[in-house]
Amino acid sequence: MKPAEFKNPEQEIERFQGRLAATGGLVLAAFFLLFARFFWLQVVQHEHYRTRAEDNRIALVPVVPNRGLVVDRNGAVLARNYSAYTLEITPGRVHDLEAVIDELAGVIDIQPRDRKRFRRLLDESKNFESLPIRTRLTDEEVARFVARRYRFPGVEIKARLFRQYPQRALASHALGYIGRVNDRDLATIEKHGAEDNYRGTEHFGKTGLEQKYEFELHGQTGFEQVEVDAGGRAVRVLERTAPLPGNNLVLTLDAKLQQVVERAFGARRGALVAIEPSTGGILALVSMPGYDPNLFVDGISPQDWEALNTSEDKPMVNRALNGAYPPGSTFKPFMALAALETGKRTPQQSIADPGFFTFGGHTFRDDKKGGHGVVDMYKSIVHSCDTYYYVLANDMGIDAISNFMRQLGFGSRTGIDIEGESEGVLPSQEWKRKRFRKPEQQKWYAGETISIGIGQGYNAYTPIQLAQATAAIANDGVMFRPHLVRYVENIRTGERRAIEPEPVRILPLKPANLDVIKRALVGVNKEGTGARAFAGAEYLAAGKTGTAQVFSLKGGKYEAHKVQERLRDHALFIAFAPAEEPTIALAVLVENGGFGAQSAAPIARQVLDYWLLGKLPQDAAPEFEAEDEGD
Amino acid sequence: MTDFAFNLRDGWRKLAAPVDPVLLALLALLLGYAALVLVSASAERLGSQFVNLAVALVVMRIAAQVPPQRLMHLALPLYTAGVLLLVAVALFGDISKGARRWLNLGFMRIQPSEIMKIAVPLMLAWYFQKHEAMLRARDWLAAALILLVPIGLIARQPDLGTAILVFAAGFFVIFLAGLSWKVLAILFLGGLASLPLGWGLLHDYQRQRILTLIDPEADPLGKGFHIIQSTIAVGSGGILGKGWGNGTQTHLEFIPERHTDFIFAVLAEEFGLLGASFLLVLYALIIGRGLMIAGNAPTLFSRLLAGSVTLIFFTYAFVNMGMVSGILPVVGVPLPFVSYGGTALVTLFAGAGILMSIHKHRMLVQK
């Protein structure tokens, strides 16, 4: 073992001092490094960081414009906005969503349906969007939440404008509805290059006019330059560019007429389209049953959605535009016109009707046992003689029929300002070739033409096509594109941009031929199948009844009360009035209504009574007037 | 009357007797500055910070009273108790925010790693004092062991910030004790070489913090958010700052933990380079005073203890400001004497008290 080495205390202290000096040097060096860093950040890079601090602090927040109103031709409001408080959660800022909602439920009434709707919105949305858990908070609820706000980070009260359809289900299929923007809507927005204008917009027109005129109704988004905190909450507004509200839509539709129709339908299913023949403006567009578009505005609850979609009555289907029905006997006047125009018949040419027509071993029956006796064109329409049209159709052939009917708009979209209209089926040889695959099905059989003559067979048209064709006759062959919007109104400038009546085509119909058909149609309501419904009418109305088979009875006798309700025939009626100078033309269809004369014609009568005379049906209380006083 | 006044003055003199007026004056200046910044960062916490401060001052006064001789006797028991408590934490500690740092004693919760900031340098200083006569290789190894056992226990809690502080405190003792430059150089190079190994020992979140430091913009809304926002705060302050209470980064809540670990960002944003430099100068003066006390201390023990306590102040300050200005990774180290919070304040003032005691007793032992 080495002898212990004693150290010199002086030397020891000297060394310690040396080490202290070294640490002192280290400290100074380290602090100089910090100083250099501060100098770099605060002097050299100052401008950069100052800008970034400003960027942090200042955010451009879109200010969503007020959506334009929809009013009827008399100014009655059909769609408007109201402002309400909503309670919203930003899922991205909340840890345990369920727990937060449970806790919120202790402060504000949250129903299971609210939760379900929220979950539905959650599935469709991005994490950083704030989603409503409750809408239309009362002032008391707002106060209760605000007092406890600190307990709920990521939950906010927001004042928002909501769409409201004050007439509820009235004209729902025409108006459509708005709902929250989804991916498909985003694609549409992108296609229009409107992304900037839709920043901040949460709702988008989904169907009906709300969809078709989305970009008119939306308006110009404004911007606010706001100071925001790290949580993105606005602290104060620095600058503001006001939004420009969307344009209002003034419709050709008459809400009161619409209501008369919807009341007349009651619980029955069906459709009615009423057109002003001289412009194509739609006066009433009814599809029954309707639905309450208000349900969709802040996200429809799953139960309501389920109920609407599984209902046997199919309230979401716009029957006026998407229901394709055989026109039944309402097709006859058009057949008669085709016969006159093509020279296949003169008005006076008559047949002796035995009550049936036999072709290729098959017997086509007439409604009336034993037949109508001697039938000319007038009588064939007034009494709706089937045999006359069996023979006529056979004489004309399918292609002559379809060529003429195409001119009247049958089997093609009318171009109404609502998306998704159906084409229907205008049967022709070519249509059949395209429609079927097997060669034996592709061939048109002459026997198939015969029932086409009475509006059965492959014939299938939408009620709006039928209404358009009726209007075409009423307007002497000048056809307009049916449309719902009369003006687009800029509420700032007051400027009204008219949607000009747009003649689709002018049919070169001979006035004498039109006269024959019109007289016959007037005859229907005076002495024919429509006479009962129009007894005592103070105006001259042209009309035609129709009954469309839903179910083939294979030659057996049709007894309405024995057939299941859903298999009963559809009842149809077309009309225009006053016959001399028509201001309204319509087509009405009552699903499973039985005979047209019984259930469809009386609805047409109510419509014409109201439109021409201002007469309301006796049982209908004028509750509507009171409701729209405030608007 | 005069009696009472005399009694009062006499009482004050007794109370102030062991307190170093220079150090206290510098600390008072720093605390006043800190209060100014805290009012801007989080005014509502000023009251409770005063309570923390009162407790810390009592601790300082007590520490200042204890002569270094007595402290030496405390070294071994305090260190042993500290290590045992750390083991207890590892076995029964409460978990909070994913780390096991706290020990629940039933009536209060303590964080034993905090004790080690004083206990480790105390123990090392004691050890070197005991073996003052002759330091052999095995003494250096023993010193390394004394240092590394608690560091290991703290690092695996995990609490990187405290581990760094305790390591720095102990390392400075060893350095001041005279570990040869040659060995230091070898250790330094060895440390560099084993960095990849150290990387493997780090927790994911610790690695993430280092990666974030290198490229904070890679994850601007997540891990990088703290560094980016505090750097923006510092940089946007400019030379003169935005003015007291006018820091947008501060008041719009972009600075996280703005009253605790990131309070320097508030200071730098509102008082600019000028204010930050003033803070650096204050720290430099306090550290200078501490090193002076160490230089004048009579025994090896008190020299080493005073030096290392002073350098703890430095480590706190450097690591914190380095982290906030984006040159060091984010570790939970507060700005000494400035950040809101009682624990660090008590430890720091205990250190200040020890310094004062060593200063007061600089003549006694030599006699």
Side-chain angles (χ1 to χ4, degrees):
Chain A
M1 193 178 150
K2 274 197 250 173
E5 182 190 332
F6 285 93
K7 286 179 181 163
N8 177 352
E10 293 301 318
Q11 206 180 333
E12 191 68 18
I13 284 173
E14 210 168 280
R15 190 165 68 162
F16 180 74
Q17 304 284 15
R19 287 290 163 109
L20 269 189
T23 45
L26 174 77
V27 169
L28 286 181
F31 278 13
F32 182 77
L33 179 69
L34 286 177
F35 177 81
R37 174 67 175 171
F38 301 160
F39 189 85
W40 171 255
L41 295 178
Q42 298 186 302
V43 179
V44 182
Q45 296 273 71
H46 171 62
E47 208 43 47
H48 166 75
Y49 286 110
R50 201 184 59 82
T51 315
R52 290 197 59 182
E54 289 296 284
D55 288 350
N56 258 348
R57 178 173 83 92
I58 292 166
L60 272 184
V61 178
V63 185
V64 179
N66 284 3
R67 195 174 174 85
L69 307 181
V70 180
V71 300
D72 86 337
R73 64 190 296 131
N74 301 313
V77 176
L78 300 177
R80 64 180 170 202
N81 310 300
Y82 71 99
S83 134
Y85 290 111
T86 59
L87 185 66
E88 304 196 356
I89 302 181
T90 308
R93 288 175 51 201
V94 170
H95 258 301
D96 184 349
L97 211 49
E98 284 305 311
V100 168
I101 295 174
D102 287 343
E103 213 182 327
L104 275 174
V107 178
I108 279 173
D109 180 37
I110 292 173
Q111 295 294 321
R113 49 168 296 163
D114 293 321
R115 289 174 187 252
K116 281 187 188 147
R117 192 192 51 203
F118 182 79
R119 236 164 279 143
R120 211 175 108 102
L121 290 174
L122 191 63
D123 290 341
E124 296 166 356
S125 72
K126 291 158 198 74
N127 233 14
F128 52 82
E129 272 182 314
S130 80
L131 303 172
I133 174 80
R134 254 297 304 278
T135 53
R136 290 172 225 201
L137 299 182
T138 62
D139 289 347
E140 196 204 322
E141 286 176 314
V142 171
R144 259 209 313 265
F145 175 78
V146 168
R148 295 165 179 80
R149 181 162 47 191
Y150 66 93
R151 273 167 51 197
F152 301 103
V155 184
E156 280 165 295
I157 297 255
K158 287 196 177 164
R160 287 192 185 276
L161 277 178
F162 279 93
R163 195 61 155 175
Q164 189 188 33
Y165 304 98
Q167 310 299 345
R168 287 181 287 279
L170 187 81
S172 49
H173 287 285
L175 286 173
Y177 52 84
I178 63 169
R180 293 182 69 88
V181 175
N182 61 25
D183 287 346
R184 213 177 45 219
D185 302 333
L186 285 177
T188 309
I189 291 167
E190 222 166 279
K191 217 175 69 198
H192 280 75
E195 296 98 318
D196 283 348
N197 202 31
Y198 274 79
R199 273 187 57 198
T201 299
E202 293 182 322
H203 292 99
F204 199 80
K206 301 288 184 176
T207 64
L209 293 169
E210 293 276 29
Q211 177 190 29
K212 185 73 183 183
Y213 290 91
E214 168 63 38
F215 294 98
E216 293 283 358
L217 290 164
H218 181 269
Q220 185 72 39
T221 297
F223 284 95
E224 265 178 2
Q225 224 186 37
V226 292
E227 188 172 77
V228 293
D229 65 14
R233 279 176 298 266
V235 180
R236 64 193 164 117
V237 177
L238 304 173
E239 215 182 292
R240 185 182 156 94
T241 313
L244 304 178
N247 293 329
N248 291 349
L249 301 182
V250 181
L251 305 187
T252 58
L253 192 110
D254 185 303
K256 288 179 193 168
L257 179 70
Q258 179 89 13
Q259 192 179 42
V260 166
V261 179
E262 295 190 8
R263 289 240 168 103
F265 264 96
R268 290 177 290 181
R269 285 162 283 115
L272 180 144
V273 179
I275 297 178
E276 187 175 46
S278 57
T279 62
I282 290 178
L283 304 172
L285 183 83
V286 176
S287 171
M288 295 298 284
Y291 55 88
D292 184 353
N294 292 301
L295 292 175
F296 291 88
V297 174
D298 31 289
I300 190 167
S301 74
Q303 293 104 301
D304 289 339
W305 180 247
E306 177 89 0
L308 284 175
N309 276 295
T310 55
S311 165
E312 275 209 338
D313 289 346
K314 297 198 167 28
M316 297 306 293
V317 172
N318 188 348
R319 291 169 161 82
L321 268 50
N322 299 108
Y325 306 89
S329 300
T330 62
F331 204 52
K332 287 173 182 167
F334 304 107
M335 282 293 296
L337 186 61
L340 292 172
E341 286 290 322
T342 55
K344 282 282 172 192
R345 289 287 185 278
T346 65
Q348 293 75 32
Q349 255 176 309
S350 303
I351 61 156
D353 170 21
F356 60 86
F357 174 68
T358 311
F359 182 87
H362 184 79
T363 299
F364 295 86
R365 289 171 195 279
D366 196 299
D367 273 354
K368 193 172 176 184
K369 244 186 183 171
H372 295 271
V374 176
V375 179
D376 63 358
M377 184 172 282
Y378 178 84
K379 195 177 172 187
S380 77
I381 292 175
V382 171
H383 294 292
S384 201
C385 169
D386 288 347
T387 313
Y388 184 93
Y389 290 95
Y390 292 144
V391 179
L392 175 60
N394 191 38
D395 285 358
M396 284 184 77
I398 184 62
D399 283 353
I401 295 173
S402 62
N403 285 341
F404 184 81
M405 295 304 168
R406 188 172 299 118
Q407 292 295 303
L408 282 168
F410 285 111
S412 31
R413 296 189 183 96
T414 63
I416 186 184
D417 41 1
I418 286 181
E419 299 278 336
E421 187 187 0
S422 299
E423 266 182 348
V425 175
L426 174 65
S428 66
Q429 293 202 47
E430 196 196 343
W431 167 79
K432 209 181 173 196
R433 217 172 27 246
K434 284 184 180 158
R435 170 68 180 75
F436 293 101
R437 285 250 202 87
K438 291 180 190 160
E440 68 267 24
Q441 287 177 324
Q442 286 178 327
K443 186 184 178 331
W444 186 272
Y445 297 96
E448 293 174 323
T449 310
I450 289 161
S451 45
I452 297 293
I454 60 157
Q456 303 287 353
Y458 293 122
N459 275 319
Y461 307 119
T462 61
I464 192 169
Q465 284 169 359
L466 204 53
Q468 188 192 29
T470 307
I473 288 181
N475 206 37
D476 298 331
V478 183
M479 286 178 72
F480 289 98
R481 184 177 66 83
H483 58 272
L484 277 159
V485 175
R486 198 175 180 193
Y487 302 112
V488 175
E489 185 185 34
N490 184 322
I491 64 158
R492 275 182 323 119
T493 62
E495 177 203 339
R496 288 184 146 198
R497 183 154 34 87
I499 304 284
E500 293 298 335
E502 203 181 301
V504 190
R505 65 186 89 86
I506 299 168
L507 303 178
L509 302 173
K510 289 192 190 75
N513 292 343
L514 274 168
D515 205 49
V516 170
I517 303 300
K518 284 187 181 178
R519 264 192 302 116
L521 291 175
V522 170
V524 169
N525 287 348
K526 278 214 302 229
E527 51 173 322
T529 49
R532 238 173 80 191
F534 279 86
E538 296 162 49
Y539 48 85
L540 212 55
K544 178 70 193 85
T545 55
T547 305
Q549 272 177 24
V550 171
F551 182 64
S552 169
L553 292 165
K554 299 235 162 119
K557 191 164 169 26
Y558 176 77
E559 285 169 277
H561 63 278
K562 285 197 180 162
V563 182
Q564 245 186 14
E565 206 264 343
R566 299 267 160 183
L567 298 176
R568 262 183 230 161
D569 292 347
H570 296 325
L572 291 109
F573 196 77
I574 58 171
F576 57 84
E580 321 82 58
E581 193 137 348
T583 57
I584 184 168
L586 64 84
V588 49
L589 173 134
V590 181
E591 276 187 15
N592 314 116
F595 293 114
Q598 269 170 14
S599 54
I603 294 178
R605 170 75 192 268
Q606 286 187 20
V607 170
L608 298 183
D609 275 0
Y610 176 79
W611 189 247
L612 300 171
L613 311 171
K615 238 165 75 180
L616 285 167
Q618 264 127 33
D619 56 336
E623 167 195 319
F624 185 79
E625 256 122 329
E627 231 172 80
D628 99 65
E629 286 283 294
D631 296 318
Chain B
M1 197 62 205
T2 40
D3 250 17
F4 176 70
F6 174 79
N7 284 341
L8 207 62
R9 209 179 309 142
D10 190 48
W12 173 249
R13 194 172 291 148
K14 274 186 186 155
L15 191 69
V19 170
D20 173 26
V22 179
L23 188 56
L24 193 66
L26 289 170
L27 287 176
L29 212 53
L30 182 56
L31 289 167
Y33 196 20
L36 202 63
V37 179
L38 185 64
V39 167
S40 182
S42 176
E44 68 277 12
R45 289 189 168 84
L46 193 65
S48 61
Q49 182 69 346
F50 271 124
V51 175
N52 292 336
L53 186 61
V55 174
L57 284 172
V58 170
V59 170
M60 178 190 82
R61 173 63 182 73
I62 292 168
Q65 182 79 34
V66 181
Q69 211 64 37
R70 286 272 294 287
L71 280 175
M72 245 172 87
H73 296 310
L74 270 175
L76 188 59
L78 196 65
Y79 177 84
T80 314
V83 171
L84 289 176
L85 283 171
L86 281 178
V87 172
V89 167
L91 296 178
F92 324 106
D94 284 356
I95 295 178
S96 132
K97 293 183 191 167
R100 196 185 286 272
R101 298 173 184 174
W102 296 85
L103 197 61
N104 198 336
L105 298 182
F107 60 96
M108 65 180 290
R109 289 192 341 147
I110 59 166
Q111 198 175 349
S113 55
E114 200 63 32
I115 300 169
M116 299 314 277
K117 287 177 188 166
I118 298 293
V120 166
L122 203 61
M123 176 69 187
L124 283 168
W126 170 81
Y127 185 83
F128 285 124
Q129 171 79 55
K130 229 181 108 192
H131 301 268
E132 184 182 22
M134 190 186 59
L135 287 171
R136 283 174 294 202
R138 68 156 206 227
D139 292 319
W140 295 109
L141 285 177
L145 208 63
I146 289 170
L147 179 57
L148 293 177
V149 167
I151 299 284
L153 285 167
I154 295 168
R156 68 176 289 279
Q157 288 179 349
D159 184 351
L160 204 55
T162 307
I164 286 171
L165 288 170
V166 174
F167 175 80
F171 172 79
F172 282 126
V173 177
I174 296 173
F175 176 73
L176 292 173
L179 184 60
S180 81
W181 290 106
K182 215 183 341 180
V183 179
L184 282 170
I186 290 168
L187 284 177
F188 180 71
L189 292 175
L192 273 188
S194 64
L195 271 185
L197 185 74
W199 182 257
L201 291 173
L202 287 179
H203 284 260
D204 273 344
Y205 83 96
Q206 291 166 334
R207 283 183 209 173
Q208 198 58 52
R209 282 176 179 180
I210 292 170
L211 289 178
T212 299
L213 176 79
I214 295 163
D215 182 15
E217 309 285 343
D219 185 12
L221 293 178
K223 306 277 188 295
F225 186 81
H226 285 36
I227 290 188
I228 292 174
Q229 295 305 338
S230 69
T231 316
I232 291 174
V234 174
S236 66
I239 297 175
L240 297 175
K242 295 176 186 169
W244 186 50
N246 292 335
T248 58
Q249 290 285 103
T250 303
H251 292 280
L252 298 172
E253 296 172 19
F254 285 98
I255 303 176
E257 311 280 333
R258 63 184 194 277
H259 56 282
T260 56
D261 288 358
F262 281 81
I263 197 165
F264 178 71
V266 177
L267 184 152
E269 183 182 26
E270 298 193 346
F271 300 121
L273 182 63
L274 219 61
S277 305
F278 179 62
L279 185 73
L280 283 179
V281 169
L282 274 182
Y283 279 131
L285 290 174
I286 289 169
I287 291 161
R289 178 67 184 167
L291 293 181
M292 218 173 93
I293 290 172
N296 293 331
T299 61
L300 181 60
F301 169 76
S302 52
R303 280 199 291 271
L304 294 177
L305 188 59
S308 101
V309 164
T310 305
L311 290 167
I312 291 180
F313 296 171
F314 161 72
T315 312
Y316 264 105
F318 180 70
V319 171
N320 179 273
M321 287 187 279
M323 152 184 111
V324 174
S325 62
I327 53 173
L328 291 178
V330 175
V331 286
V333 173
L335 190 63
F337 302 106
V338 179
S339 283
Y340 172 83
T343 313
L345 208 59
V346 167
T347 310
L348 288 161
F349 271 100
I354 289 171
L355 281 179
M356 290 173 178
S357 158
I358 290 170
H359 183 60
K360 175 102 170 49
H361 297 93
R362 63 192 181 277
M363 301 305 183
L364 298 183
V365 187
Q366 284 178 332
K367 284 182 183 166

